[in-house]
């Protein structure tokens, strides 16, 4: 029961003492009316705080026209959703929308990335960020944990503070999701803050001094993934195209040429992320990857990434992925990389609750060895 403050009682008694006896009845009637209205308003406000996930999704499905609109509505209400039903409820809601086909993989990843930012910011505000909980970290490409890491970097300008909190988060991730990788979300933010590959890589290297998962390889991945977004004009924090267009430009004619020009310690990760820039024209992307005197490891990384980027784009609106003729002319090893990059996207959909038609993709390959490789990668997801 709520206690009325002492001062309110004093005010009430003073009012009573100044009211003439013949008006006491009317006075009490007015008080009763005020109390009834107050309780009604309070009850309405409490009911408004109850969030019905199913009703929310049904309403969106009935009123939105396409996936982009559905995503925009969810994104606009995400903070209120998290406050109303908690992080786990918001993750579950996003998983259901994705499995139902209301949003695509990129939408889902972006929502989870934003959710990670929101949850970490709320817990920091409430003083509970040391007890951060991890929910479905693998949903749509680990977007949630990436958002948590990114927010830690944004909230802690001091690299030492950021590093310690990233270590704590990574240790928690290892408990809830054994084998999960760390620091990719941090790499994204290092790149978006510095807009410089070398500076972002230096910040990644600082994570390798001690703590869990000392290898900063996944941080490099985040750096080059964000670099690719910046060149492509994509804003990973909102899921929209940047209004002013791309912030950076590729300094060389082809992605593989640029990556090959970088120091060995991160040139391969560059190829694993940047070669997808030309995935809209797969013949061009694959021709660039295999033309020139580049190491086979770099060619393989480039083919793998281009194939994954193409699959991600096509699966957002189709059930399977078309195979351009140039793929069949690749060497055995590079065909395997093309298959692996594509099936990786099919597997990402499956882990997040949405099945796509990988069998049709695998069956297009005319060589039995390719079909066996394709099926094996699916079964090892």
């Amino acid at each position: 029961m709520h206690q009325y403050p002492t001062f309110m009682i004093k005010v009430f008694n003073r009012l009573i003492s100044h009211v003439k006896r013949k008006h006491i009845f009317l006075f009490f009637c007015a008080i009763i009316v005020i109390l009834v209205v107050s309780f009604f308003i309070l009850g309405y406000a409490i009911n408004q705080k109850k969030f019905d996930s199913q009703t929310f999704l049904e309403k969106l499905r009935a009123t939105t026209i396409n996936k982009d609109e559905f995503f925009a509505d969810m994104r606009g209400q995400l903070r209120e959703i998290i406050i109303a039903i908690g992080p786990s409820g918001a993750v579950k809601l996003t998983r259901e929308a994705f499995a139902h086909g209301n949003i695509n993989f990129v939408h889902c990843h972006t929502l989870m990335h934003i959710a990670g930012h929101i949850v970490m910011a709320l817990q920091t505000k409430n003083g509970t960020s040391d007890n951060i909980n991890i929910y479905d970290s693998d949903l749509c490409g680990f977007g949630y944990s990436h958002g948590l890491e990114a927010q830690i970097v944004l909230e802690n300008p001091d690299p030492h503070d950021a590093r310690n909190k990233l270590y704590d988060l990574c240790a928690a991730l290892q408990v809830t999701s054994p084998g999960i990788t760390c620091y990719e979300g941090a790499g994204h933010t290092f790149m978006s803050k510095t807009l410089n590959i070398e500076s972002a890589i230096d910040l990644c290297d600082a994570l390798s001094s001690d703590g869990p998962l000392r290898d900063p390889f996944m941080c490099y991945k985040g750096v080059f993934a964000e670099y690719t977004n910046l060149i492509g004009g994509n804003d990973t924090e909102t899921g929209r195209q940047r209004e002013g267009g791309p912030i950076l430009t590729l300094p060389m004619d082809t992605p593989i040429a640029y990556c090959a020009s970088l120091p060995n310690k991160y040139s391969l990760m560059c190829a694993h992320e940047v070669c997808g820039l030309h995935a809209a024209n797969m013949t061009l992307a694959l021709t660039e990857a295999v033309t020139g005197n580049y190491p086979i490891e770099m060619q393989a990384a480039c083919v793998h990434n281009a194939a994954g980027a193409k699959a991600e784009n096509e699966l957002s609106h189709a059930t399977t992925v078309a195979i351009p003729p140039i793929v069949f002319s690749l060497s055995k090893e590079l065909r395997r990389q093309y298959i692996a990059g594509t099936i990786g996207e099919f597997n990402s959909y499956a882990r997040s609750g949405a099945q796509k038609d990988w069998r049709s993709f695998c069956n297009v390959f005319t060589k039995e060895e390719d079909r066996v490789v394709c099926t094996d990668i699916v079964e090892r997801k």
Side-chain angles (χ1 to χ4, degrees):
M1 295 290 292
H2 291 289
Q3 296 290 332
Y4 286 105
T6 303
F7 83 91
M8 291 183 66
I9 297 175
K10 291 180 178 179
V11 170
F12 180 81
N13 289 335
R14 184 170 296 177
L15 286 171
I16 289 293
S17 66
H18 285 81
V19 176
K20 295 181 179 180
R21 186 179 300 274
K22 65 179 180 180
H23 294 303
I24 288 180
F25 175 77
L26 293 176
F27 178 81
F28 273 106
C29 287
I31 292 296
I32 291 172
V33 170
I34 292 172
L35 289 174
V36 169
V37 171
S38 298
F39 280 117
F40 175 81
I41 294 174
L42 179 62
Y44 177 79
I46 292 174
N47 287 331
Q48 285 295 99
K49 290 183 179 179
K50 294 179 181 179
F51 186 90
D52 187 328
S53 301
Q54 193 59 39
T55 300
F56 173 78
L57 288 177
E58 289 176 356
K59 182 179 179 181
L60 280 189
R61 288 166 186 157
T63 58
T64 55
I65 299 173
N66 55 43
K67 291 181 181 180
D68 288 337
E69 185 179 341
F70 199 102
F71 161 69
D73 285 341
M74 284 195 68
R75 182 188 59 210
Q77 301 179 64
L78 190 55
R79 189 176 189 277
E80 288 70 25
I81 291 171
I82 290 171
I83 292 173
I85 58 178
S88 60
V91 170
K92 182 179 179 181
L93 187 73
T94 305
R95 180 182 286 276
E96 184 178 346
F98 177 66
H100 197 273
N102 302 123
I103 54 177
N104 63 37
F105 190 86
V106 174
H107 293 152
C108 179
H109 180 83
T110 303
L111 286 172
M112 287 295 89
H113 197 282
I114 296 172
H117 277 280
I118 293 171
V119 170
M120 180 59 73
L122 288 173
Q123 296 212 1
T124 299
K125 179 180 178 181
N126 296 332
T128 57
S129 57
D130 291 338
N131 301 311
I132 190 71
N133 291 314
I134 312 300
Y135 305 95
D136 278 4
S137 296
D138 63 341
L139 177 61
C140 295
F142 305 96
Y144 184 73
S145 57
H146 293 175
L148 294 173
E149 291 178 352
Q151 188 62 26
I152 286 175
V153 174
L154 292 175
E155 290 180 357
N156 297 274
D158 186 322
H160 183 269
D161 291 341
R163 183 178 62 191
N164 289 339
K165 292 187 178 182
L166 286 169
Y167 286 167
D168 291 343
L169 176 61
C170 188
L173 283 167
Q174 297 305 306
V175 174
T176 58
S177 303
I180 193 174
T181 58
C182 296
Y183 312 137
E184 185 174 347
H188 271 277
T189 307
F190 290 154
M191 185 63 214
S192 64
K193 287 180 64 178
T194 63
L195 299 179
N196 180 276
I197 291 290
E198 289 75 18
S199 298
I201 291 294
D202 287 344
L203 291 170
C204 286
D205 286 340
L207 295 174
S208 65
S209 58
D210 51 28
L213 293 185
R214 299 178 183 181
D215 188 348
F217 200 58
M218 294 306 292
C219 187
Y220 295 170
K221 176 178 172 64
V223 168
F224 285 107
E226 187 63 27
Y227 179 67
T228 303
N229 288 325
L230 292 169
I231 292 173
N234 303 316
D235 186 349
T236 53
E237 300 303 329
T238 64
R240 301 169 176 169
Q241 286 290 113
R242 294 182 181 274
E243 292 184 3
I247 294 178
L248 301 176
T249 57
L250 192 68
M252 294 188 179
D253 291 337
T254 67
I256 194 169
Y258 168 69
C259 293
S261 72
L262 299 176
N264 289 336
K265 74 172 182 176
Y266 51 82
S267 60
L268 195 60
M269 183 50 78
C270 173
H272 269 291
E273 292 297 320
V274 182
C275 284
L277 279 170
H278 294 166
N281 185 341
M282 187 53 64
T283 299
L284 172 63
L286 295 183
T287 299
E288 290 174 347
V290 301
T291 301
N293 189 28
Y294 300 112
I296 185 61
E297 295 82 4
M298 185 161 289
Q299 290 183 343
C302 223
V303 170
H304 189 285
N305 180 240
K310 177 179 183 295
E312 181 182 279
N313 291 336
E314 292 188 14
L315 290 177
S316 68
H317 58 268
T319 59
T320 194
V321 178
I323 305 175
I326 190 176
V327 172
F328 302 106
S329 65
L330 297 175
S331 67
K332 178 181 177 179
E333 173 57 25
L334 293 183
R335 288 201 311 276
R336 183 186 181 91
Q337 291 300 321
Y338 183 87
I339 292 169
T342 303
I343 291 297
E345 296 304 314
F346 280 101
N347 288 343
S348 291
Y349 267 79
R351 282 194 297 268
S352 302
Q355 293 293 334
K356 294 288 185 174
D357 185 11
W358 58 267
R359 288 183 178 84
S360 292
F361 169 79
C362 292
N363 288 337
V364 171
F365 287 92
T366 56
K367 293 185 177 181
E368 178 66 19
E369 61 183 2
D370 291 338
R371 292 196 297 271
V372 170
V373 166
C374 194
T375 303
D376 182 57
I377 295 173
V378 174
E379 293 179 345
R380 288 190 288 106
K381 67 177 183 292

